[in-house]
Amino acid sequence: MIFPKIKVLHSHGWQYIPDLNDVTLTEEFRGRPELTVTEDMADVEAAAKLCPTGAISVAPFTLDLGRCLFCGECALRAPRNIRFTNDYKVGSTSREALVVTPETKQIDFHKELVRKEIPQLFSRSLKLRQVSAAGDASIEMELNATGNVNFDFGRYGVEFTASPRHSDGVVITGPISKNMAEPLEICYAAIPEPKITIVCGSEACSGGLFSQSKAIDRSFLQRHHVDLWLPGAPTHPMTFIDAVMNLIGKKQRQGNQ
Amino acid sequence: MHYYITNNTSTEAVAIKDIPEVEYATLYNDLKERLKQEQYHVAHYFATPDENRLMFYIVLLDDKEHQIMLARFAMEYYDDIALPSLTALHPALHPFEREITELYNVHFGSMPWDKPLRFAEARRNRNSTIDNYPFYTIEGESLHEVNVGPIHAGIIEPGAFRFICNGEKVLHLEIALGYQHRGVESEFTSTNNRLRQTLLAESIAGDSAIAHTSAFAAAIERLSDNAISDSLATERIVALELERMAMHIADTGALSMDVGYQLGQVACEALRTMTINTTQAWCGNRFGKGLIRPCGTNKPLTKEKVEMILSNVEQISRRYAEVSDDIQSSPTLLSRFEHCGIVPQNEMQRIGGVGMAARASGLLRDIRSSHPWGAYNTEPRHDSCTMHDGDVMSRLKVRCEEVQQSAQRIKSLLEGYTTSEKHLRPDYECNLKPSHLSFGLIEGWRGEICHVALTDDKGQISTYKIKEPSLHNWLALALAVRGEGISDFPICNKSFNLSYCGHDL
């Protein structure tokens, strides 16, 4: 009975990422795009026409990561103009900062928008309540992964709680269905002040593919202040970890990596 | 009764006019008898407006003869006649009839329970909302109710569970779903942008992105007469089996967590990470989003990627075998998993259970063996793994075996595989045949996924219907917990791990 356990333990070894500040994802990963203006923008026009969420604008040339589902088709249509890098640091306190322009070398975090009490109160312990409002399960699994043996975000005191009453904020995933609008509001009301709101995933940021659907009700976001916008389909655990560390003052986004 | 007969290897869509239009009474009498036999089950049954009529389509599967049987019937759109309900005889039709009633106000006579299926935006009865849904109740001094959800304790999708308990024991569990309703099916028809439709397919259930997109791609390829190459079909199956491995390993870890077996939990978390990172190194996304595209691919396998997949899968399969050996030799785990959450085979068949949960109950429902497509259609044929007890342990054992089967399948497909750099690119512009019905039938990791697309006379998709395996299996979960202690609910739930968004659409 004990021998099989030793075998599992031995094969398992040490799995965790030793330094969460020093992670590079595979080259295949599609993160922050780089845009280049060329004389002939016909390829970009074709890509903009194809883009399923209308994330690309041609003049001025921008790509809104809050809408982007990172399918990468535009980079195949307009390879001279759009290139996806593996930079996962794409979260920001500002919705506008998610709009990538040809000048963008990194997504600005806009530290000045962080409310003063957030790093003061939550830098050592941040408990979050997640609410899936029509998220497609992949993003929920990625948020679960932030606490798993591999990423172990719990080492910084950031964890997810069962009850909103024990939490310091809410993480919303999904485009927010009408049927979830009321439960979300009730859950948010149960969180003690001061509380933070994190919008996780491009579908949560903009509604994504469902922004025009009649089954969606996004009025919550008009009523409440959002502290963190995280693009992705789904948001990679490292995107979440990086942005939350910036939010609670554990690190400062810098350099062009 | 006459059906249009096709099968899952067919590369062609079916002209709607070729599908026999029958009287409802004929269909009713035929299904009444036919569904008593295990070899038949209904993969899809839905209604859709057709000018001033309501047209009903049924997709019946014959597992023994490997046939897909199609038929349809019509009624006047505003007819107020009650069709005799098939649910009373065959509860497997319950979710289908509930959906038809919810959307079109069609009444089925002697329908045992016409509860709204998902409180869809397009429902006819606007007074019925998810927030005022009256749960089933039982009176009695010794009984109490426990409400769970819609928001659950973990990071998981929403759904409401209402338990009626006698002491610690669950007498009855009612599950109310619909919180995740996004209007997926209507989004498919509100756009002609094929890429947008592909991404919609990827988001039906994010944990089954590869399976659902494969079903969508198959439906589109049949509608556009684009038979894909053998090598592309093979690569899709490699992706599908990687998805199955990742999710079965994730569920093994989740079950381990719920019984306090931390070693199994962390080992499985690490192994799942390795599996989905393999998919990510192939296509840039851990869930395989971007990998499956209609009529071609943007991510053909290269020699390096084949080697990377083979070596990772070899390691995952070896290490996962160690975990499953440990589980099966630990009495403390077995005492939690065995004889818990039992769904007997006859119940599973009656309610239309599919996929791995059905196989754990001894009911052989596996599209890979009953309606094989692509590489499943060549030797060696897929040998489905079935158990008999229908308890949590059986569902776990099916997972343990299927991970090894998937690893073996990937190995046999990729060893000596000649990569083909000349794969066609995806085609988002191809014309679809007008007035046709097309389908995609895939065995995802949960079970049978059936997509049906109808085109109008201009070749636009006019109806898109999705059947997720969870549609039927949610009832299996409700039956599994009857008579169990309520504290065993988490392991019963995880042993099924059903999709909320795939059900609510």
Side-chain angles (χ1 to χ4, degrees):
Chain A
M1 277 189 293
I2 192 72
F3 185 64
K5 293 194 189 342
I6 295 170
K7 226 162 127 185
V8 173
L9 197 58
H10 177 77
S11 296
H12 179 69
W14 299 99
Q15 294 285 339
Y16 69 96
I17 298 169
D19 183 2
L20 286 177
N21 292 317
D22 182 28
V23 174
T24 312
L25 299 181
T26 163
E27 283 296 318
E28 285 284 339
F29 179 76
R30 292 181 291 279
R32 174 181 55 83
E34 283 178 351
L35 308 186
T36 312
V37 178
T38 50
E39 219 158 88
D40 169 20
M41 292 288 276
D43 289 349
V44 177
E45 276 166 29
K49 201 163 153 254
L50 184 66
C51 179
T53 51
I56 302 171
S57 135
V58 183
F61 185 23
T62 60
L63 200 165
D64 181 359
L65 293 188
R67 290 167 176 264
C68 178
L69 298 176
F70 297 85
C71 67
E73 296 281 345
C74 55
L76 297 168
R77 294 285 158 129
R80 293 175 305 145
N81 308 93
I82 304 172
R83 188 180 79 87
F84 281 87
T85 70
N86 63 347
D87 177 9
Y88 54 81
K89 298 167 187 168
V90 291
S92 177
T93 50
S94 149
R95 175 69 180 84
E96 287 71 40
L98 302 185
V99 180
V100 174
T101 68
E103 285 74 45
T104 306
K105 295 295 168 225
Q106 69 167 349
I107 300 295
D108 282 330
F109 185 75
H110 289 289
K111 198 173 175 354
E112 72 281 3
L113 295 177
V114 179
R115 286 179 282 146
K116 236 186 266 143
E117 64 267 29
I118 291 180
Q120 277 169 9
L121 290 169
F122 303 128
S123 70
R124 292 190 193 194
S125 163
L126 176 65
K127 307 295 169 205
L128 296 165
R129 172 63 248 197
Q130 185 268 349
V131 177
S132 168
D136 76 358
S138 59
I139 191 146
E140 287 74 18
M141 293 189 82
E142 290 297 51
L143 287 174
N144 260 320
T146 60
N148 75 10
V149 60
N150 192 49
F151 296 100
D152 186 23
F153 200 17
R155 72 182 93 170
Y156 289 99
V158 182
E159 282 168 337
F160 288 91
T161 62
S163 168
R165 293 189 178 88
H166 301 159
S167 74
D168 308 312
V170 64
V171 181
I172 302 167
T173 58
I176 313 184
S177 54
K178 261 189 194 166
N179 288 348
M180 268 310 281
E182 189 180 340
L184 171 64
E185 199 68 56
I186 294 170
C187 176
Y188 183 78
I191 299 171
E193 297 280 356
K195 49 190 161 192
I196 63 179
T197 303
I198 298 174
V199 166
C200 189
S202 300
E203 293 207 324
C205 291
S206 66
L209 293 165
F210 304 99
S211 58
Q212 302 303 314
S213 168
K214 288 188 186 124
I216 297 301
D217 176 359
R218 298 178 53 75
S219 59
F220 178 92
L221 298 176
Q222 281 142 31
R223 285 191 298 276
H224 304 289
H225 172 77
V226 175
D227 295 285
L228 208 50
W229 301 88
L230 303 174
T235 304
H236 195 280
M238 283 312 303
T239 304
F240 179 83
I241 290 170
D242 166 73
V244 172
M245 298 250 278
N246 275 283
L247 183 72
I248 58 179
K250 281 280 180 201
K251 76 186 228 191
Q252 296 197 6
R253 187 174 302 163
Q254 55 189 343
N256 178 25
Q257 17 213 316
Chain B
M1 194 193 121
H2 183 55
Y3 288 91
Y4 182 95
I5 309 281
T6 178
N7 64 51
N8 210 10
T9 54
S10 154
T11 54
E12 285 177 5
V14 183
I16 291 176
K17 64 175 170 36
D18 292 343
I19 302 172
E21 193 179 325
V22 297
E23 290 294 317
Y24 180 70
T26 318
L27 182 77
Y28 177 88
N29 288 326
D30 184 74
L31 288 178
K32 188 169 111 182
E33 294 306 318
R34 220 185 266 274
L35 292 177
K36 287 178 186 161
Q37 301 167 54
E38 193 183 314
Q39 77 187 82
Y40 296 104
H41 72 282
V42 177
H44 227 322
Y45 174 34
F46 59 89
T48 185
D50 178 15
E51 291 175 3
N52 52 358
R53 295 194 302 171
L54 199 55
M55 189 64 82
F56 296 68
Y57 292 86
I58 189 151
V59 181
L60 184 67
L61 300 186
D62 180 344
D63 289 357
K64 207 161 133 198
E65 302 297 329
H66 318 297
Q67 288 175 341
I68 299 170
M69 304 155 76
L70 304 168
R72 58 181 177 145
F73 67 91
M75 69 186 280
E76 293 296 317
Y77 200 87
Y78 294 103
D79 260 3
D80 194 20
I81 43 165
L83 305 172
S85 166
L86 275 159
T87 300
L89 304 165
H90 302 292
L93 289 160
H94 195 205
F96 298 127
E97 288 190 347
R98 280 165 61 196
E99 185 193 42
I100 294 167
T101 304
E102 178 175 25
L103 294 180
Y104 300 108
N105 221 11
V106 173
H107 290 286
F108 290 93
S110 66
M111 167 72 157
W113 192 19
D114 60 356
K115 173 182 173 178
L117 184 66
R118 53 175 78 97
F119 300 89
E121 182 56 23
R123 67 189 182 277
R124 282 294 183 83
N125 181 0
R126 306 301 301 177
N127 295 328
S128 123
T129 70
I130 202 159
D131 299 320
N132 69 11
Y133 173 69
F135 281 90
Y136 184 72
T137 56
I138 308 178
E139 301 284 319
E141 271 189 13
S142 59
L143 305 180
H144 68 280
E145 290 184 359
V146 180
N147 182 61
V148 178
I151 301 175
H152 297 230
I155 309 176
I156 186 171
E157 301 169 73
F161 299 144
R162 184 71 58 91
F163 297 87
I164 299 173
C165 298
N166 184 2
E168 292 283 298
K169 281 224 161 93
V170 179
L171 268 187
H172 177 77
L173 162 63
E174 183 181 350
I175 302 171
L177 298 173
Y179 294 96
Q180 292 283 75
H181 177 66
R182 298 162 284 174
V184 177
E185 289 178 338
S186 58
E187 288 297 308
F188 268 98
T189 53
S190 71
T191 177
N192 289 322
N193 182 335
R194 192 89 62 235
L195 176 62
R196 185 174 158 85
Q197 291 168 337
T198 311
L199 266 66
L200 279 165
E202 281 181 342
S203 69
I204 292 168
D207 54 19
S208 305
I210 291 169
H212 274 291
T213 319
S214 298
F216 167 76
I220 294 299
E221 284 148 10
R222 286 188 172 111
L223 273 173
S224 58
D225 277 335
N226 268 310
I228 56 167
S229 65
D230 286 349
S231 57
L232 181 56
T234 298
E235 292 183 15
R236 281 188 190 169
I237 285 175
V238 171
L240 184 68
E241 294 300 339
L242 273 174
E243 180 172 83
R244 192 184 319 276
M245 287 179 75
M247 288 310 298
H248 281 353
I249 293 172
D251 289 339
T252 310
L255 278 167
S256 302
M257 177 176 75
D258 278 1
V259 293
Y261 170 47
Q262 211 205 2
L263 179 64
Q265 179 200 339
V266 295
C268 286
E269 280 173 355
L271 289 175
R272 168 178 176 262
T273 305
M274 202 170 158
T275 319
I276 59 179
N277 283 354
T278 305
T279 306
Q280 179 177 247
W282 176 2
C283 73
N285 184 289
R286 308 217 297 171
F287 294 83
K289 292 185 177 182
L291 186 51
I292 312 292
R293 289 289 177 263
C295 314
T297 179
N298 290 324
K299 303 283 172 189
L301 276 176
T302 59
K303 209 162 162 276
E304 294 72 35
K305 285 179 178 174
V306 167
E307 277 164 22
M308 178 268 303
I309 294 172
L310 277 173
S311 93
N312 286 2
V313 163
E314 198 276 325
Q315 197 193 143
I316 295 160
S317 128
R318 178 179 56 76
R319 285 170 50 188
Y320 181 74
E322 292 173 2
V323 179
S324 57
D325 282 350
D326 187 31
I327 291 174
Q328 295 183 42
S329 62
S330 298
T332 47
L333 301 177
L334 297 179
S335 74
R336 289 293 309 275
F337 293 148
E338 285 182 340
H339 312 297
C340 175
I342 296 173
V343 185
Q345 183 190 350
N346 57 348
E347 282 286 291
M348 204 47 123
Q349 192 195 327
R350 257 166 54 82
I351 64 170
V354 290
M356 52 133 304
R359 297 196 283 281
S361 293
L363 177 66
L364 210 170
R365 292 274 187 251
D366 191 339
I367 300 298
R368 290 174 293 175
S369 53
S370 61
H371 302 273
W373 75 99
Y376 298 115
N377 208 21
T378 54
E379 299 300 330
R381 294 297 173 123
H382 181 72
D383 184 18
S384 296
C385 145
T386 52
M387 300 286 156
H388 298 285
D389 296 340
D391 56 1
V392 172
M393 190 66 206
S394 300
R395 289 186 281 278
L396 180 55
K397 280 202 305 218
V398 168
R399 288 191 167 88
C400 292
E401 272 199 32
E402 289 197 346
V403 169
Q404 302 303 342
Q405 274 187 335
S406 298
Q408 196 53 46
R409 174 68 68 176
I410 292 171
K411 208 173 139 196
S412 74
L413 288 175
L414 289 188
E415 271 180 353
Y417 178 72
T418 354
T419 51
S420 150
E421 307 282 326
K422 282 181 293 186
H423 275 308
L424 290 175
R425 290 285 166 201
D427 185 352
Y428 303 122
E429 310 292 333
C430 58
N431 290 325
L432 307 183
K433 282 186 281 191
S435 307
H436 271 64
L437 176 148
S438 181
F439 61 89
L441 192 59
I442 299 282
E443 184 76 13
W445 66 269
R446 272 194 194 93
E448 168 188 312
I449 286 171
C450 180
H451 287 203
V452 178
L454 301 181
T455 52
D456 61 16
D457 52 7
K458 294 182 193 68
Q460 318 279 12
I461 295 180
S462 57
T463 299
Y464 200 85
K465 297 299 289 181
I466 299 153
K467 196 213 69 167
E468 233 278 329
S470 309
L471 185 72
H472 287 96
N473 287 8
W474 274 113
L475 184 56
L477 168 64
L479 296 178
V481 297
R482 281 193 182 171
E484 297 296 344
I486 192 168
S487 55
D488 275 334
F489 174 71
I491 58 170
C492 291
N493 187 20
K494 298 252 167 71
S495 76
F496 287 93
N497 189 9
L498 300 172
S499 173
Y500 300 77
C501 54
H503 175 282
D504 296 346
L505 296 174

